[in-house]
Amino acid sequence: MGIVKGKNVTIYDVAALAGVSKGTVDRVVYNRGRVSEKTAAAVRDAIVRLGYNPNLLASVLASNKKHVLACLLPRFTPGQYWEEIYKGFLEGVESVKSFNVVPVVELYDQYDEHSFVVACDNVLRQNPGGVIFHPFFPSASAKFSAKLHELQIPYGFVDGRIDDPNYIVYYGVDLYQSGFFGAFLLSDRAAVREVVIVRIKRDKEYKSDPTSNRRSGFTDYIRQKFGEECIIHTVFVNPNNREDINTALSDFFRANPQVRHVIMLNSRVHLIADYMKSYPDEGRVVVGFDDLADNVEALKDGAVDFLVTRNIAMQSFNAVTGLVNYLVKGERPARRDNYMHIDVLTRYNLDRM
């Protein structure tokens, strides 16, 4: 049977020539799911050979136009939270590479606003078609967003966002709601009179506070359930100094031995695991966030009781596909704010991961 090109070619013709289902062709054409590169290549070849042109895909393939997609992230080491966001970004780019998407990643020091500003400038010098980033420093992020809008560069947020009328898409959890949920886990089993939030020491000028919305949700739950009588303590620790962490916790619990409810609202509850294991307390409850390997080990060891989790990498993966869909086809996402599902892990359901 010969190949007939023409305007009457249908998606079924493409599927038959490529040896796949209509649904697979649809996923390749509209980037609605993951397809192996071998299968995607067969579909693209069939589209070109048949002259099938449902939307912009054929013209993109023909023009070979490149779309530079930049991702602005904090520097990370293996096993840290931002490595998962980085992996999700690259996987997202891989899933849409048929649209000639070129990834650019710019890293900065999350404890230094100037480093963030320099990274923003470096991104702009790349002349990106789109940008994805986390607004670590709200004021500087607002200025960067305004510049992107001025230059007509579409952008999206991942993991956190600021109030902004112009971003295309956001993927992440509802930070306020996740803090509210963390407070529920911490205090559901008994009346709580005192709690302690263990926080990370950040930039000296306090311009970076990525867990502020989550902390608001946590505080509001505690106040609604226990009123002003419940004391909320705060302990700051240096994430790069194990001795500082143990000293800060020892000093606090020596002065406040009655406090038995502990929470870290960021992704690094494993930092306090050694102390919790060294000074066990059967009545203590410890809540952390995110199923990073070190946090999961702390959960297994009994140093942590609950981990509030989400699919970290899927946030940036979805942000990529949503923004590229806008870049290539001009289609805005059905929702700007896309909240990830929140799960909870204990040592008793780890085998379900």
Side-chain angles (χ1 to χ4, degrees), residues 38-111:
K38 181 178 179 181
T39 299
V43 171
R44 292 195 296 269
D45 180 66
I47 287 171
V48 173
R49 293 174 68 187
L50 291 172
Y52 181 60
N53 187 13
N55 53 25
L56 295 180
L57 180 57
S59 61
V60 169
L61 291 170
S63 68
N64 202 33
K65 178 182 178 182
K66 291 184 178 180
H67 299 275
V68 175
L69 186 64
C71 187
L72 189 61
L73 291 177
R75 295 190 192 112
F76 55 82
T77 57
Q80 289 188 335
Y81 179 87
W82 295 105
E83 181 184 32
E84 294 300 308
I85 296 292
Y86 171 75
K87 289 178 180 177
F89 173 74
L90 294 184
E91 289 174 1
V93 170
E94 178 68 19
S95 74
V96 294
K97 69 178 184 180
S98 60
F99 290 126
N100 300 316
V101 177
V102 179
V104 170
V105 178
E106 188 69 32
L107 303 177
Y108 61 89
D109 181 351
Q110 63 175 282
Y111 304 102

Side-chain angles (χ1 to χ4, degrees), residues 143-165:
K143 292 178 181 178
F144 182 50
S145 298
K147 186 64 176 179
L148 291 172
H149 180 64
E150 176 188 336
L151 296 173
Q152 298 183 333
I153 299 173
Y155 58 94
F157 295 127
V158 64
D159 181 71
R161 63 176 179 81
I162 55 176
D163 289 333
D164 181 314

Side-chain angles (χ1 to χ4, degrees), residues 203-248:
D203 60 296
K204 295 179 180 179
E205 297 180 350
Y206 301 99
K207 293 182 177 181
S208 171
D209 189 3
T211 61
S212 61
N213 288 338
R214 184 173 284 161
R215 195 164 61 252
S216 294
F218 174 85
T219 301
D220 285 353
Y221 180 93
I222 294 296
R223 291 289 173 248
Q224 289 175 26
K225 187 168 184 178
F226 303 110
E228 296 295 331
E229 292 76 18
C230 182
I231 300 172
I232 301 176
H233 300 275
T234 301
V235 173
F236 285 91
V237 298
N238 181 347
N240 302 311
N241 188 320
R242 182 71 62 181
E243 183 177 347
D244 178 87
I245 294 171
N246 290 333
T247 298

Side-chain angles (χ1 to χ4, degrees), residues 23-34:
T24 299
V25 176
D26 184 86
R27 286 194 292 275
V28 173
V29 170
Y30 295 105
N31 294 295
R32 288 177 175 157
R34 299 193 187 191

